[in-house]
Amino acid sequence: MIQKALNLFSRIPLHVIILIMCIVWLLPTLGIFVSSFRPESNIMTSGWWNVFLDPTSPGNYTINNYTKVIFGNNIFQAFLNSFIIAIPSTFISLFFAALAGYAFAWLHFPARNLLFLAIVGLIVVPLQMTFIPILKIYSQTGLYGSYIGIWLAHAGYGMPLMIYMMRNFMGGLPKELFESAFIDGASVWTAFTRLVIPLSVPIIASLAIFQFLWIWNDLIVALIFMPDPDKAPITLMIANLVGSEGQSWHLLLPAAFISMVLPLIVFFSLQKYFVRGLTAGAVKG
Amino acid sequence: MFNKKLSLVLTLSVVLGLGLVFSGATVAMGAEKVTFTTSFGGAELDIFKSLMDQFTDDTGIEVEVQPVSRNMKTALGSRVEAGNPPDMANVPNPGLMVNFARKGQLASLDWFKDTDLASKQAGGFIGSGSYNGELYAVVPAASVKSLVWYNKKVFEEEGYEVPETLGELLKLQNEMIGDGYAPWTMGLESGAATGWPGTDWLEDIMLRSAGPEVYDKWVNHDIPWTDPRVAEAFRIFGLFANNDMLMGGRKAALTINFGDSAQYILPMAGEDKPRALMHRQATFIQDFIQDAHPDAKVGEEYDTFIFPAFGKSSPPILFAGDLFIAFNDKPEVRELIKYFASADIQQTWVEENPGRLAVNVDVPLSAYPNDTLRKAAQALKEADTARFDGSDSMNAAVGSGSFWSGVVDYVSGDKTLDSVLESIEKSADDAYDSGEATD
């Protein structure tokens, strides 16, 4: 009993530190959230914490910023575009990364390690470096400004890391499983679909979340590869809310929360995979 | 079994691949359409699009407006380098236009000089759009930068006169201090671009203290930054940007955002006196003042005067504008350029988008929504001397780099004027490949 109390006591500093870190981390977000409900002139003239001086005054709050963003723009189209871009991109990169991860982990072919090293090396190539050469190829093939173009771009940018993670996870599966499967007459393909895929659900799910969120939040790739505003994702629409001298920047506050809704849903509904996936592939078998 | 599945996968990928090539190809075609990459955003983008719709109604030429907000340099630069530029774009600074022009990536607009519209352009704008004597950009709308926004009510109550010379301005700010006011509010903070509002001050001063010829040499780096005339301009700037004259002193000027700083010329909520009386900034700042004080009336509570001349002459005008550049010379592009250079469309533009000033001299002053803008428009029209924002015209490494940080160093007082100028000069030597002062 005493021991227990002592334990609890000794952990108080830890809890305090965690609490402080959470507050520091959340404070800016809270500020944006509070500000997004303040009238424009208040945002311009005083800090968001001023609402706490008079928290019940109705003049301190408004939903005008939200209605302006939602009804002043074709936000539903932009949301839809983000889905049209993010879902196939995620699927394409997952599909090929799973195939490649399996091949690098369990198939024997010449220069396997060399190829794997090359792909791992691609992780550190900044994507800005690739814009001009890829744009060149896209404009020659007509992919520029098409959904397929941006799907392939996103898939390409995400794949090196995904292949690396997949290979490390799949390499950790027990060797005996494959041996017995092959003795039972399974082909390479059967082993992949019946054995590897079901066992790799945690890594596939967590990489899917990572990739989806990354694409959802992306601005720069869309800016470069998707010139057509009718097909542009929500991030680009949000960026265009602000005038060229920074006018109306307060509209970014509600817009940030509107675009955040979906990633939050994805995150919370798939949270258990997310946490498990973080450590997946970390310990190589 | 294995081979069958594999061949299926292969066939699928081939079909997918072919499909995307063809679907892409149909997107790339399309007759008569003009693509226009723009930096406009928010309300100005909506107005710009409506002007384009009107153009389509009038001419039948479709325009696809591709907004990239403030990422123009990245977005446009990559596309141009990849050999896949839009038909047209608007860029805010001549420096970027010159960059494209030097590499031969822009379509020449010399044909525009032969049209009637060219003679209707206010002075200085054909020059701003030219590089090596060839026209590459047409400017349909501009903003005046040489403006001082001031609290009109306090001016009337205290009997302050709008100053017409540098001497009067210096006397006025001392008088204000005597009456217990801070003369100026200045905000240099602007994220990665911190310092730029100070460059406008220096350009305005340089244009007056050294004159337009020296100003041009300075922008082209024909005189070094260590030239005594540049140092003189910095010292004059120091007469305004110091702890006595600035609201909150130097420290406040460095930390307040440029957009927030203007609002202090009017009393803040719950205060009966404004915290400062004057603010030097371009026409666009009215949006920010109005956002902070929705009930304030321009021309009644606050107003502008032109930053005074230093001598007896009429004050020179510093301006900025949107340069319309073309990457492809086709009939539809020419139509669009002529359309935006015409008085009719510019009139609609300035009526609907306050803060923008027409470049075509046929646009009547009555088109502007208030006297304040009318005054700015008139100054632009009638100025004997007008120059484009110098930092926008300089090499980007200086004009959007060391000049900004130099202003910050000077205002903070961390560095001596000599060392500030020497470090800007050093970066200019590295960045410029022309200019007589380049070592």
Side-chain angles (χ1 to χ4, degrees):
Chain A
M1 190 63 193
I2 296 171
Q3 188 60 41
K4 225 177 179 179
L6 215 65
N7 261 345
L8 204 69
F9 190 71
S10 69
R11 289 172 76 177
I12 284 179
L14 181 73
H15 286 224
V16 170
I17 291 173
I18 290 176
L19 203 70
I20 291 174
M21 279 177 70
C22 287
I23 291 173
V24 169
W25 210 250
L26 285 175
L27 212 57
T29 314
L30 179 73
I32 294 173
F33 188 68
V34 172
S35 287
S36 71
F37 286 101
R38 301 181 75 209
E40 187 181 0
S41 60
N42 290 16
I43 298 174
M44 288 290 293
T45 53
S46 62
W48 58 272
W49 49 88
N50 282 287
V51 293
F52 297 115
L53 298 177
D54 189 9
T56 52
S57 158
N60 275 343
Y61 308 101
T62 174
I63 54 162
N64 268 351
N65 302 332
Y66 282 88
T67 49
K68 248 189 216 166
V69 171
I70 294 172
F71 298 110
N73 302 280
N74 205 345
I75 199 162
F76 299 103
Q77 181 66 43
F79 242 98
L80 188 70
N81 291 344
S82 274
F83 273 113
I84 296 175
I85 290 169
I87 292 173
S89 306
T90 309
F91 179 77
I92 294 171
S93 47
L94 269 179
F95 178 70
F96 287 104
L99 284 175
Y102 173 57
F104 280 123
W106 292 106
L107 302 187
H108 296 276
F109 52 91
R112 183 174 77 159
N113 287 335
L114 207 67
L115 279 173
F116 185 63
L117 263 177
I119 287 177
V120 171
L122 288 179
I123 295 175
V124 296
V125 175
L127 60 90
Q128 285 85 345
M129 269 180 56
T130 67
F131 287 161
I132 292 169
I134 293 183
L135 267 178
K136 252 185 200 162
I137 298 171
Y138 275 19
S139 48
Q140 281 156 11
T141 53
L143 283 175
Y144 179 67
S146 68
Y147 279 126
I148 296 161
I150 199 165
W151 291 342
L152 292 179
H154 273 304
Y157 292 133
M159 256 198 304
L161 184 69
M162 290 170 88
I163 292 175
Y164 174 72
M165 301 283 281
M166 288 275 196
R167 185 221 168 264
N168 283 359
F169 184 90
M170 289 172 181
L173 299 174
K175 199 177 170 192
E176 293 76 13
L177 275 179
F178 290 91
E179 280 170 357
S180 38
F182 289 132
I183 287 169
D184 288 346
S187 67
V188 173
W189 180 254
T190 317
F192 177 70
T193 52
R194 309 278 292 269
L195 205 59
V196 176
I197 293 293
L199 287 171
S200 303
V201 167
I203 185 82
I204 290 174
S206 64
L207 285 179
I209 300 170
F210 271 128
Q211 179 74 350
F212 184 84
L213 293 182
W214 156 253
I215 296 169
W216 187 269
N217 291 328
D218 161 78
L219 171 66
I220 189 78
V221 175
L223 193 69
I224 301 289
F225 296 111
M226 189 46 83
D228 185 349
D230 296 333
K231 294 185 191 166
I234 191 159
T235 45
L236 206 56
M237 189 217 89
I238 290 174
N240 288 330
L241 292 174
V242 183
S244 47
E245 252 97 23
Q247 300 98 323
S248 309
W249 61 267
H250 68 281
L251 292 180
L252 291 181
L253 308 168
F257 279 93
I258 292 168
S259 93
M260 227 185 268
V261 168
L262 192 95
L264 284 180
I265 293 172
V266 171
F267 186 85
F268 283 120
S269 57
L270 299 173
Q271 196 186 12
K272 60 176 182 179
Y273 294 112
F274 199 71
V275 176
R276 211 181 331 165
L278 282 176
T279 53
V283 188
K284 199 166 84 75
Chain B
M1 174 80 181
F2 169 54
N3 281 332
K4 220 164 151 190
K5 282 259 170 80
L6 187 72
S7 58
L8 188 69
V9 171
L10 281 176
T11 323
L12 270 176
S13 19
V14 168
V15 170
L16 188 76
L18 282 177
L20 58 92
V21 168
F22 283 115
S23 66
T26 50
V27 173
M29 288 195 308
E32 285 221 338
K33 195 162 89 173
V34 176
T35 51
F36 196 112
T37 301
T38 179
S39 60
F40 297 133
E44 47 182 27
L45 176 62
D46 294 338
I47 294 160
F48 185 64
K49 278 187 185 159
S50 73
L51 295 178
M52 287 297 194
D53 288 344
Q54 206 177 317
F55 173 71
T56 306
D57 287 346
D58 291 353
T59 61
I61 300 169
E62 295 256 356
V63 183
E64 184 177 300
V65 178
Q66 304 170 341
V68 294
S69 65
R70 286 175 293 166
N71 303 296
M72 184 55 96
K73 222 174 142 187
T74 322
L76 190 61
S78 321
R79 285 189 63 179
V80 174
E81 282 303 316
N84 182 29
D87 292 323
M88 286 184 71
N90 70 305
V91 294
N93 47 358
L96 195 55
M97 184 265 300
V98 169
N99 240 347
F100 290 137
R102 190 171 18 199
K103 293 185 199 153
Q105 290 157 331
L106 288 182
S108 166
L109 305 181
D110 261 3
W111 57 267
F112 182 79
K113 289 181 186 167
D114 302 329
T115 63
D116 296 341
L117 291 163
S119 56
K120 302 289 185 194
Q121 297 271 99
F125 285 97
I126 292 285
S128 313
S130 298
Y131 170 70
N132 272 354
E134 189 125 1
L135 187 70
Y136 287 104
V138 171
V139 186
S143 66
V144 166
K145 296 208 151 198
S146 308
L147 291 182
V148 177
W149 299 80
Y150 69 99
N151 185 311
K152 198 172 182 182
K153 279 212 168 131
V154 174
F155 266 58
E156 281 167 3
E157 284 164 22
E158 301 280 351
Y160 297 148
E161 298 260 336
V162 167
E164 282 174 9
T165 62
L166 174 67
E168 283 178 32
L169 182 61
L170 292 173
K171 219 164 84 190
L172 177 65
Q173 59 175 4
N174 282 325
E175 206 180 325
M176 288 173 176
I177 289 187
D179 294 338
Y181 294 103
W184 298 95
T185 163
M186 187 185 288
L188 298 180
E189 193 275 323
S190 179
T194 294
W196 74 258
T199 65
D200 287 2
W201 269 91
L202 280 156
E203 288 152 17
D204 247 339
I205 292 169
M206 196 68 194
L207 201 49
R208 287 161 173 75
S209 66
E213 285 82 33
V214 179
Y215 179 91
D216 290 341
K217 284 185 180 167
W218 173 57
V219 171
N220 295 328
H221 202 227
D222 287 336
I223 58 168
W225 282 79
T226 46
D227 188 280
R229 287 163 295 191
V230 182
E232 172 72 8
F234 269 82
R235 267 193 291 274
I236 296 174
F237 177 49
L239 298 175
F240 305 105
N242 58 53
N243 280 330
D244 297 328
M245 298 300 160
L246 294 178
M247 174 196 85
R250 296 158 178 254
K251 212 170 155 190
L254 293 172
T255 49
I256 299 179
N257 180 267
F258 74 95
D260 292 341
S261 60
Q263 57 183 286
Y264 299 108
I265 61 167
L266 292 174
M268 304 299 286
E271 297 173 15
D272 50 355
K273 263 174 58 170
R275 298 188 196 174
L277 296 183
M278 297 184 285
H279 180 71
R280 203 220 70 99
Q281 188 53 278
T283 26
F284 78 84
I285 204 70
Q286 200 199 334
D287 286 357
F288 287 87
I289 300 177
Q290 217 58 56
D291 283 350
H293 305 281
D295 301 327
K297 287 211 170 52
V298 65
E300 289 176 28
E301 275 123 291
Y302 66 105
D303 207 344
T304 61
F305 59 82
I306 306 288
F307 196 72
F310 286 4
K312 291 249 179 286
S313 57
S314 73
I317 295 295
L318 188 73
F319 63 85
D322 297 298
L323 295 103
F324 280 29
I325 52 177
F327 294 94
N328 297 317
D329 188 8
K330 52 185 192 183
E332 292 84 9
V333 168
R334 291 189 180 200
E335 279 300 312
L336 190 62
I337 290 174
K338 282 190 269 182
Y339 176 76
F340 270 96
S342 73
D344 285 355
I345 203 65
Q346 289 189 12
Q347 180 165 350
T348 317
W349 206 358
V350 301
E351 278 167 1
E352 289 182 13
N353 195 350
R356 219 160 270 285
L357 306 174
V359 167
N360 189 311
V361 290
D362 282 349
V363 175
L365 289 176
S366 58
Y368 296 93
N370 57 52
D371 281 338
T372 307
L373 285 170
R374 223 162 279 148
K375 214 158 39 183
Q378 194 171 9
L380 186 68
K381 230 185 215 183
E382 294 170 0
D384 297 332
T385 309
R387 285 294 183 274
F388 207 100
D389 182 316
S391 59
D392 285 345
S393 315
M394 290 174 187
N395 186 298
V398 180
S400 323
S402 57
F403 191 5
W404 290 347
S405 52
V407 164
V408 172
D409 289 337
Y410 179 66
V411 173
S412 71
D414 290 346
K415 280 183 170 182
T416 63
L417 179 54
D418 285 345
S419 71
V420 166
L421 294 177
E422 268 159 30
S423 70
I424 304 178
E425 175 59 20
K426 201 168 160 285
S427 75
D429 276 341
D430 293 341
Y432 280 79
D433 47 24
S434 63
E436 285 164 27
T438 309
D439 301 329

PDB file of all heavy atoms in Angstrom, chain A residues 204-219:
ATOM      1  N   ILE A 204       0.177  -2.411 -43.422  1.00  0.00           N
ATOM      2  CA  ILE A 204      -0.542  -1.843 -44.566  1.00  0.00           C
ATOM      3  C   ILE A 204      -1.497  -0.750 -44.085  1.00  0.00           C
ATOM      4  O   ILE A 204      -1.556   0.344 -44.658  1.00  0.00           O
ATOM      5  CB  ILE A 204      -1.306  -2.955 -45.326  1.00  0.00           C
ATOM      6  CG1 ILE A 204      -0.294  -3.856 -46.035  1.00  0.00           C
ATOM      7  CG2 ILE A 204      -2.278  -2.354 -46.338  1.00  0.00           C
ATOM      8  CD1 ILE A 204      -0.906  -5.068 -46.693  1.00  0.00           C
ATOM      9  N   ALA A 205      -2.202  -1.046 -42.988  1.00  0.00           N
ATOM     10  CA  ALA A 205      -3.165  -0.059 -42.482  1.00  0.00           C
ATOM     11  C   ALA A 205      -2.454   1.212 -42.027  1.00  0.00           C
ATOM     12  O   ALA A 205      -2.903   2.322 -42.331  1.00  0.00           O
ATOM     13  CB  ALA A 205      -3.971  -0.645 -41.342  1.00  0.00           C
ATOM     14  N   SER A 206      -1.352   1.034 -41.318  1.00  0.00           N
ATOM     15  CA  SER A 206      -0.719   2.254 -40.802  1.00  0.00           C
ATOM     16  C   SER A 206      -0.074   3.054 -41.926  1.00  0.00           C
ATOM     17  O   SER A 206      -0.129   4.287 -41.931  1.00  0.00           O
ATOM     18  CB  SER A 206       0.290   1.929 -39.713  1.00  0.00           C
ATOM     19  OG  SER A 206       1.336   1.173 -40.245  1.00  0.00           O
ATOM     20  N   LEU A 207       0.511   2.366 -42.917  1.00  0.00           N
ATOM     21  CA  LEU A 207       1.067   3.119 -44.044  1.00  0.00           C
ATOM     22  C   LEU A 207      -0.036   3.796 -44.840  1.00  0.00           C
ATOM     23  O   LEU A 207       0.159   4.903 -45.356  1.00  0.00           O
ATOM     24  CB  LEU A 207       1.887   2.191 -44.955  1.00  0.00           C
ATOM     25  CG  LEU A 207       3.252   1.773 -44.409  1.00  0.00           C
ATOM     26  CD1 LEU A 207       3.951   0.841 -45.381  1.00  0.00           C
ATOM     27  CD2 LEU A 207       4.136   2.988 -44.142  1.00  0.00           C
ATOM     28  N   ALA A 208      -1.184   3.142 -44.900  1.00  0.00           N
ATOM     29  CA  ALA A 208      -2.312   3.767 -45.605  1.00  0.00           C
ATOM     30  C   ALA A 208      -2.693   5.068 -44.922  1.00  0.00           C
ATOM     31  O   ALA A 208      -2.945   6.082 -45.576  1.00  0.00           O
ATOM     32  CB  ALA A 208      -3.501   2.815 -45.649  1.00  0.00           C
ATOM     33  N   ILE A 209      -2.735   5.052 -43.598  1.00  0.00           N
ATOM     34  CA  ILE A 209      -3.082   6.282 -42.864  1.00  0.00           C
ATOM     35  C   ILE A 209      -2.035   7.359 -43.108  1.00  0.00           C
ATOM     36  O   ILE A 209      -2.356   8.503 -43.442  1.00  0.00           O
ATOM     37  CB  ILE A 209      -3.196   6.011 -41.349  1.00  0.00           C
ATOM     38  CG1 ILE A 209      -4.265   4.972 -41.092  1.00  0.00           C
ATOM     39  CG2 ILE A 209      -3.527   7.279 -40.602  1.00  0.00           C
ATOM     40  CD1 ILE A 209      -4.275   4.473 -39.663  1.00  0.00           C
ATOM     41  N   PHE A 210      -0.773   6.972 -42.945  1.00  0.00           N
ATOM     42  CA  PHE A 210       0.319   7.939 -43.164  1.00  0.00           C
ATOM     43  C   PHE A 210       0.193   8.592 -44.537  1.00  0.00           C
ATOM     44  O   PHE A 210       0.205   9.805 -44.670  1.00  0.00           O
ATOM     45  CB  PHE A 210       1.677   7.220 -43.126  1.00  0.00           C
ATOM     46  CG  PHE A 210       2.275   7.146 -41.763  1.00  0.00           C
ATOM     47  CD1 PHE A 210       2.701   5.932 -41.242  1.00  0.00           C
ATOM     48  CD2 PHE A 210       2.437   8.285 -40.985  1.00  0.00           C
ATOM     49  CE1 PHE A 210       3.266   5.854 -39.980  1.00  0.00           C
ATOM     50  CE2 PHE A 210       3.004   8.212 -39.728  1.00  0.00           C
ATOM     51  CZ  PHE A 210       3.416   6.989 -39.224  1.00  0.00           C
ATOM     52  N   GLN A 211       0.098   7.750 -45.537  1.00  0.00           N
ATOM     53  CA  GLN A 211       0.093   8.226 -46.912  1.00  0.00           C
ATOM     54  C   GLN A 211      -1.135   9.085 -47.184  1.00  0.00           C
ATOM     55  O   GLN A 211      -1.038  10.140 -47.795  1.00  0.00           O
ATOM     56  CB  GLN A 211       0.157   7.009 -47.859  1.00  0.00           C
ATOM     57  CG  GLN A 211       0.148   7.338 -49.334  1.00  0.00           C
ATOM     58  CD  GLN A 211       1.469   7.909 -49.804  1.00  0.00           C
ATOM     59  OE1 GLN A 211       2.344   8.228 -48.996  1.00  0.00           O
ATOM     60  NE2 GLN A 211       1.634   8.029 -51.106  1.00  0.00           N
ATOM     61  N   PHE A 212      -2.273   8.639 -46.686  1.00  0.00           N
ATOM     62  CA  PHE A 212      -3.502   9.391 -46.907  1.00  0.00           C
ATOM     63  C   PHE A 212      -3.403  10.783 -46.278  1.00  0.00           C
ATOM     64  O   PHE A 212      -3.730  11.784 -46.902  1.00  0.00           O
ATOM     65  CB  PHE A 212      -4.696   8.636 -46.329  1.00  0.00           C
ATOM     66  CG  PHE A 212      -6.008   9.314 -46.609  1.00  0.00           C
ATOM     67  CD1 PHE A 212      -6.666   9.111 -47.810  1.00  0.00           C
ATOM     68  CD2 PHE A 212      -6.576  10.170 -45.682  1.00  0.00           C
ATOM     69  CE1 PHE A 212      -7.857   9.750 -48.083  1.00  0.00           C
ATOM     70  CE2 PHE A 212      -7.772  10.818 -45.941  1.00  0.00           C
ATOM     71  CZ  PHE A 212      -8.418  10.605 -47.148  1.00  0.00           C
ATOM     72  N   LEU A 213      -2.932  10.835 -45.047  1.00  0.00           N
ATOM     73  CA  LEU A 213      -2.839  12.128 -44.361  1.00  0.00           C
ATOM     74  C   LEU A 213      -1.834  13.040 -45.059  1.00  0.00           C
ATOM     75  O   LEU A 213      -2.043  14.237 -45.209  1.00  0.00           O
ATOM     76  CB  LEU A 213      -2.432  11.938 -42.898  1.00  0.00           C
ATOM     77  CG  LEU A 213      -3.461  11.250 -42.022  1.00  0.00           C
ATOM     78  CD1 LEU A 213      -2.962  11.167 -40.591  1.00  0.00           C
ATOM     79  CD2 LEU A 213      -4.790  11.985 -42.059  1.00  0.00           C
ATOM     80  N   TRP A 214      -0.736  12.463 -45.483  1.00  0.00           N
ATOM     81  CA  TRP A 214       0.300  13.239 -46.170  1.00  0.00           C
ATOM     82  C   TRP A 214      -0.260  13.855 -47.451  1.00  0.00           C
ATOM     83  O   TRP A 214      -0.072  15.030 -47.726  1.00  0.00           O
ATOM     84  CB  TRP A 214       1.494  12.326 -46.426  1.00  0.00           C
ATOM     85  CG  TRP A 214       2.368  12.754 -47.558  1.00  0.00           C
ATOM     86  CD1 TRP A 214       2.456  12.173 -48.773  1.00  0.00           C
ATOM     87  CD2 TRP A 214       3.279  13.865 -47.573  1.00  0.00           C
ATOM     88  NE1 TRP A 214       3.350  12.850 -49.552  1.00  0.00           N
ATOM     89  CE2 TRP A 214       3.878  13.889 -48.848  1.00  0.00           C
ATOM     90  CE3 TRP A 214       3.636  14.831 -46.639  1.00  0.00           C
ATOM     91  CZ2 TRP A 214       4.806  14.838 -49.212  1.00  0.00           C
ATOM     92  CZ3 TRP A 214       4.568  15.785 -47.010  1.00  0.00           C
ATOM     93  CH2 TRP A 214       5.144  15.779 -48.273  1.00  0.00           C
ATOM     94  N   ILE A 215      -1.005  13.046 -48.193  1.00  0.00           N
ATOM     95  CA  ILE A 215      -1.554  13.557 -49.450  1.00  0.00           C
ATOM     96  C   ILE A 215      -2.663  14.568 -49.172  1.00  0.00           C
ATOM     97  O   ILE A 215      -2.787  15.592 -49.839  1.00  0.00           O
ATOM     98  CB  ILE A 215      -2.065  12.399 -50.328  1.00  0.00           C
ATOM     99  CG1 ILE A 215      -0.890  11.511 -50.731  1.00  0.00           C
ATOM    100  CG2 ILE A 215      -2.775  12.923 -51.558  1.00  0.00           C
ATOM    101  CD1 ILE A 215      -1.296  10.212 -51.365  1.00  0.00           C
ATOM    102  N   TRP A 216      -3.468  14.278 -48.173  1.00  0.00           N
ATOM    103  CA  TRP A 216      -4.552  15.196 -47.827  1.00  0.00           C
ATOM    104  C   TRP A 216      -4.000  16.576 -47.481  1.00  0.00           C
ATOM    105  O   TRP A 216      -4.564  17.597 -47.846  1.00  0.00           O
ATOM    106  CB  TRP A 216      -5.342  14.642 -46.643  1.00  0.00           C
ATOM    107  CG  TRP A 216      -6.564  15.447 -46.351  1.00  0.00           C
ATOM    108  CD1 TRP A 216      -6.665  16.503 -45.503  1.00  0.00           C
ATOM    109  CD2 TRP A 216      -7.850  15.300 -46.950  1.00  0.00           C
ATOM    110  NE1 TRP A 216      -7.939  17.014 -45.522  1.00  0.00           N
ATOM    111  CE2 TRP A 216      -8.685  16.290 -46.406  1.00  0.00           C
ATOM    112  CE3 TRP A 216      -8.376  14.407 -47.901  1.00  0.00           C
ATOM    113  CZ2 TRP A 216     -10.018  16.427 -46.772  1.00  0.00           C
ATOM    114  CZ3 TRP A 216      -9.708  14.559 -48.258  1.00  0.00           C
ATOM    115  CH2 TRP A 216     -10.510  15.553 -47.696  1.00  0.00           C
ATOM    116  N   ASN A 217      -2.914  16.622 -46.763  1.00  0.00           N
ATOM    117  CA  ASN A 217      -2.353  17.895 -46.314  1.00  0.00           C
ATOM    118  C   ASN A 217      -1.419  18.533 -47.326  1.00  0.00           C
ATOM    119  O   ASN A 217      -0.903  19.613 -47.082  1.00  0.00           O
ATOM    120  CB  ASN A 217      -1.594  17.707 -44.997  1.00  0.00           C
ATOM    121  CG  ASN A 217      -2.531  17.410 -43.863  1.00  0.00           C
ATOM    122  OD1 ASN A 217      -3.661  17.888 -43.850  1.00  0.00           O
ATOM    123  ND2 ASN A 217      -2.093  16.610 -42.922  1.00  0.00           N
ATOM    124  N   ASP A 218      -1.183  17.852 -48.433  1.00  0.00           N
ATOM    125  CA  ASP A 218      -0.181  18.358 -49.368  1.00  0.00           C
ATOM    126  C   ASP A 218      -0.658  19.599 -50.112  1.00  0.00           C
ATOM    127  O   ASP A 218      -1.790  19.670 -50.574  1.00  0.00           O
ATOM    128  CB  ASP A 218       0.150  17.282 -50.399  1.00  0.00           C
ATOM    129  CG  ASP A 218       0.805  17.882 -51.617  1.00  0.00           C
ATOM    130  OD1 ASP A 218       1.992  18.189 -51.538  1.00  0.00           O
ATOM    131  OD2 ASP A 218       0.103  18.082 -52.636  1.00  0.00           O
ATOM    132  N   LEU A 219       0.228  20.588 -50.213  1.00  0.00           N
ATOM    133  CA  LEU A 219      -0.068  21.761 -51.045  1.00  0.00           C
ATOM    134  C   LEU A 219       0.860  21.814 -52.258  1.00  0.00           C
ATOM    135  O   LEU A 219       0.432  22.021 -53.380  1.00  0.00           O
ATOM    136  CB  LEU A 219       0.081  23.046 -50.235  1.00  0.00           C
ATOM    137  CG  LEU A 219       0.006  24.355 -51.027  1.00  0.00           C
ATOM    138  CD1 LEU A 219      -1.383  24.551 -51.626  1.00  0.00           C
ATOM    139  CD2 LEU A 219       0.353  25.533 -50.156  1.00  0.00           C
TER     140      LEU A 219
END
